[in-house]
Amino acid sequence: MKKRAFELVADQTGKIFDPKILTIVWARRFAGYKRADFLLQDQQRFLKLIENTRYPVQIIFAGKPYPMDYAAIGTFDRLVNESKKYKNVAVLVGYELTLSKRLKQAADIWLNNPRVPREASGTSGMTAAMNGGVNFSTHDGWIPEFINHGHNGFVVPAADYHHMQPHQQDEYDLNQLYAILENQILPTYYDEYDTWRQIMKNAMRDVRYQFDSNRMTHEYYEQLY
């Protein structure tokens, strides 16, 4: 599935991605609170991550900002320009159903880092898990109901966000994201692949029945209508 998705990466960017390398995907609507370029806020740690030869990574960004959302458009433009510097970072355009499907199939890590508590749900993470993608997220949306850290995904521990200024929250979340990536996710993927495969299977099993459209329509009917 990764190889098929990487054909789209090659078509759009000319970059050849390797299916054996851990692939992080951030793909959804661009909005300020979703912090698409969050990993790039610490340039030194970002460079360390993408230049790591022992635990190499590939990162794909994709999605669309609303036409009049100029801040989100600016974020998208920044990512496009930054991605041109690196052979293992790609930004894809035209985020329609086929590309969305392929990226969920390609993701080893489905990255979601909204500023808590702004995320309403997070359906992309649900479908990513159904396709073997391991969710890595801040503690928001559907994630608190789903993730058992290290068992079926990875989550930034919740903090006392209500008493934090936005810059304090960003600093905390970013430090946690990098620490979990560097110390847990990458070593597990490369050094303990049987464990990683079990985490994938656990996520696919846990998401299957609890987070489907049957539940959605039932809860709309019972709780809303």
Side-chain angles (χ1 to χ4, degrees), residues 176-188:
Q176 289 290 326
L177 277 172
Y178 271 111
I180 294 169
L181 263 175
E182 294 165 351
N183 301 322
Q184 299 180 45
I185 291 175
L186 288 170
T188 303

Side-chain angles (χ1 to χ4, degrees), residues 58-120:
Q58 298 165 153
I59 305 177
I60 302 173
F61 297 95
K64 285 186 175 182
Y66 286 146
M68 303 300 288
D69 188 346
Y70 297 113
I73 292 170
T75 299
F76 184 84
D77 289 346
R78 181 197 177 195
L79 285 172
V80 170
N81 290 324
E82 287 291 324
S83 71
K84 294 176 181 178
K85 302 176 183 178
Y86 314 110
K87 64 180 182 180
N88 54 338
V89 180
V91 179
L92 305 187
V93 298
Y95 191 62
E96 307 299 347
L97 290 176
T98 299
L99 181 57
S100 173
K101 176 181 178 180
R102 291 286 179 260
L103 291 182
K104 289 164 185 173
Q105 294 173 337
D108 294 304
I109 284 293
W110 189 260
L111 179 62
N112 188 35
N113 44 243
R115 184 178 287 117
V116 180
R118 297 290 303 278
E119 187 78 292

Side-chain angles (χ1 to χ4, degrees), residues 15-203:
K15 298 178 180 181
I16 307 301
F17 276 20
D18 185 345
K20 297 180 181 178
I21 290 178
L22 180 127
T23 302
I24 301 170
V25 177
W26 190 102
R28 57 187 53 82
R29 178 174 66 89
F30 273 69
Y33 77 89
K34 292 180 181 289
R35 302 186 295 192
D37 59 348
F38 198 41
L39 287 177
L40 280 73
Q41 288 190 17
D42 188 329
Q43 196 68 29
Q44 186 174 359
R45 293 186 85 168
F46 182 72
L47 286 174
K48 180 183 175 183
L49 175 69
I50 63 173
E51 293 177 354
N52 191 332
T53 55
R54 180 180 180 187
Y55 298 137
V57 301
Q58 298 165 153
I59 305 177
I60 302 173
F61 297 95
K64 285 186 175 182
Y66 286 146
M68 303 300 288
D69 188 346
Y70 297 113
I73 292 170
T75 299
F76 184 84
D77 289 346
R78 181 197 177 195
L79 285 172
V80 170
N81 290 324
E82 287 291 324
S83 71
K84 294 176 181 178
K85 302 176 183 178
Y86 314 110
K87 64 180 182 180
N88 54 338
V89 180
V91 179
L92 305 187
V93 298
Y95 191 62
E96 307 299 347
L97 290 176
T98 299
L99 181 57
S100 173
K101 176 181 178 180
R102 291 286 179 260
L103 291 182
K104 289 164 185 173
Q105 294 173 337
D108 294 304
I109 284 293
W110 189 260
L111 179 62
N112 188 35
N113 44 243
R115 184 178 287 117
V116 180
R118 297 290 303 278
E119 187 78 292
S121 179
T123 52
S124 66
M126 300 174 192
T127 48
M130 293 172 186
N131 284 277
V134 175
N135 276 269
F136 180 30
S137 178
T138 49
H139 198 266
D140 205 5
W142 76 298
I143 291 297
E145 190 179 347
F146 172 70
I147 283 196
N148 179 355
H149 184 87
H151 176 78
N152 63 4
F154 298 88
V155 61
V156 170
D160 188 9
Y161 291 121
H162 296 292
H163 294 91
M164 286 182 173
Q165 297 296 319
H167 72 277
Q168 294 173 317
Q169 184 174 351
D170 287 356
E171 182 179 7
Y172 169 80
D173 287 344
L174 191 60
N175 285 332
Q176 289 290 326
L177 277 172
Y178 271 111
I180 294 169
L181 263 175
E182 294 165 351
N183 301 322
Q184 299 180 45
I185 291 175
L186 288 170
T188 303
Y189 181 86
Y190 284 106
D191 297 337
E192 304 174 44
Y193 195 75
D194 286 344
T195 301
W196 183 267
R197 183 168 51 194
Q198 190 60 53
I199 293 171
M200 292 171 59
K201 290 181 178 180
N202 293 342

